[in-house]
C-alpha cells in the first residue's frame, strides 16, 4: 500500500514535468540568443553529439532489458538511470543548438521527403508521449512495484527505443543539409 502512495505522491509532479518539457522546448526552439543581444557562435558541432547520445540511449535500453531478463537487477537499474541521464543531456544539447542556430530544412525530394517527415513527426510525437511513461515506469521501480513496473515497461521500452533510434535516423537524413 505504501508503494502505491509513493507513486501517487509523484503523479502530479510527473504530469507537470511531462507538460512543461514539451512546452518549454517548443518555446526555447523559437528563441534565439542573438535576439537578446547575446552573441554566441552557433553550436553547430552539437547535432552529431546529441545524435550519438540518442544512439547510446538506444544501446543502454537494449542492454538494460537484457540485464533484467538475465536476472541482473542492479545492472538493469544502472543502465536505465544512465539512459534517463543521456536523455536529459540530449535535451539540453538539442535546446542549446536550436537557441544558437537556425533550423535546417530537409533538402530531399520525392519519396524520401515523405519518409523523412513520417519519421520526424512520429519521433516528435512519441518523444512527448514517452516523458510520462518513462517517469511513471521509473517511479514504479523505485517504489518496488515491480509487477506494475514491468507492465508499463512493456509499453515504455519499445516507444523509448523507437524515439532514440529515430533520433539517429533523423540526424543521418538531415545531416547533408546542415550549414556549417
Amino acid at each position: 500500500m505504501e508503494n502505491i502512495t509513493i507513486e501517487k505522491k509523484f503523479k502530479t509532479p510527473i504530469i507537470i514535468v511531462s507538460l512543461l518539457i514539451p512546452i518549454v522546448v517548443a518555446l526555447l526552439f523559437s528563441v534565439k540568443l542573438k535576439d537578446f543581444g547575446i552573441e554566441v557562435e552557433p553550436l553547430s558541432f552539437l547535432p552529431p553529439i546529441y545524435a550519438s547520445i540518442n544512439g547510446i540511449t538506444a544501446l543502454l535500453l537494449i542492454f538494460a532489458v537484457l540485464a533484467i531478463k538475465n536476472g541482473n537487477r542492479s545492472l538493469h537499474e544502472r543502465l536505465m538511470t544512465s539512459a534517463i541521464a543521456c536523455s536529459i543531456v540530449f535535451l539540453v544539447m538539442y535546446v542549446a543548438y536550436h537557441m544558437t542556430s537556425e533550423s535546417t530544412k530537409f533538402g530531399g525530394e520525392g519519396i524520401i521527403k515523405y519518409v523523412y517527415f513520417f519519421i520526424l513527426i512520429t519521433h516528435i510525437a512519441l518523444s512527448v508521449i514517452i516523458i510520462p511513461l518513462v517517469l511513471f515506469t521509473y517511479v514504479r521501480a523505485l517504489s518496488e512495484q515491480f509487477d506494475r513496473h514491468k507492465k508499463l515497461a512493456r509499453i515504455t521500452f519499445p516507444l523509448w527505443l523507437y524515439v532514440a533510434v529515430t533520433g539517429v535516423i533523423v540526424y543521418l537524413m538531415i545531416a547533408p543539409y546542415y550549414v556549417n
Side-chain angles (χ1 to χ4, degrees), residues 83-178:
I84 291 170
C86 281
S87 293
I88 293 167
V89 170
F90 160 83
L91 187 60
V92 169
M93 288 183 173
Y94 180 79
V95 169
Y97 169 76
H98 285 286
M99 289 181 73
T100 63
S101 306
E102 295 301 320
S103 293
T104 301
K105 304 290 185 227
F106 182 72
E109 296 179 7
I111 190 77
I112 196 70
K113 181 177 180 178
Y114 297 105
V115 170
Y116 171 78
F117 282 110
F118 174 80
I119 294 170
L120 179 64
I121 290 166
T122 58
H123 169 79
I124 291 169
L126 290 174
S127 71
V128 172
I129 292 167
I130 201 66
I131 297 167
L133 291 174
V134 168
L135 295 175
F136 278 114
T137 304
Y138 195 68
V139 166
R140 287 179 180 182
L142 291 177
S143 60
E144 298 181 354
Q145 298 176 64
F146 296 118
D147 288 341
R148 296 182 79 225
H149 166 79
K150 186 176 179 179
K151 187 175 180 180
L152 187 56
R154 287 187 173 137
I155 298 165
T156 304
F157 168 73
L159 295 178
W160 193 2
L161 184 62
Y162 180 86
V163 169
V165 170
T166 56
V168 176
I169 293 169
V170 165
Y171 166 74
L172 292 173
M173 291 181 80
I174 202 165
Y177 306 104
Y178 278 113

Side-chain angles (χ1 to χ4, degrees), residues 3-20:
N3 292 341
I4 291 182
T5 305
I6 293 169
E7 183 179 343
K8 285 182 180 179
K9 178 177 139 183
F10 283 99
K11 183 177 182 178
T12 300
I14 287 172
I15 291 169
I16 291 169
V17 166
S18 297
L19 292 171
L20 279 179

Side-chain angles (χ1 to χ4, degrees), residues 35-104:
D35 295 339
F36 297 95
I38 302 170
E39 292 302 319
V40 177
E41 286 294 317
L43 301 175
S44 56
F45 62 92
L46 285 179
I49 296 171
Y50 62 67
S52 297
I53 290 172
N54 265 332
I56 292 166
T57 300
L59 292 173
L60 288 167
L61 293 172
I62 292 166
F63 290 133
V65 168
L66 293 173
I68 201 64
K69 285 185 184 268
N70 289 322
N72 193 339
R73 190 171 130 199
S74 64
L75 178 60
H76 173 77
E77 290 172 9
R78 290 192 309 272
L79 291 168
M80 292 309 300
T81 301
S82 297
I84 291 170
C86 281
S87 293
I88 293 167
V89 170
F90 160 83
L91 187 60
V92 169
M93 288 183 173
Y94 180 79
V95 169
Y97 169 76
H98 285 286
M99 289 181 73
T100 63
S101 306
E102 295 301 320
S103 293
T104 301

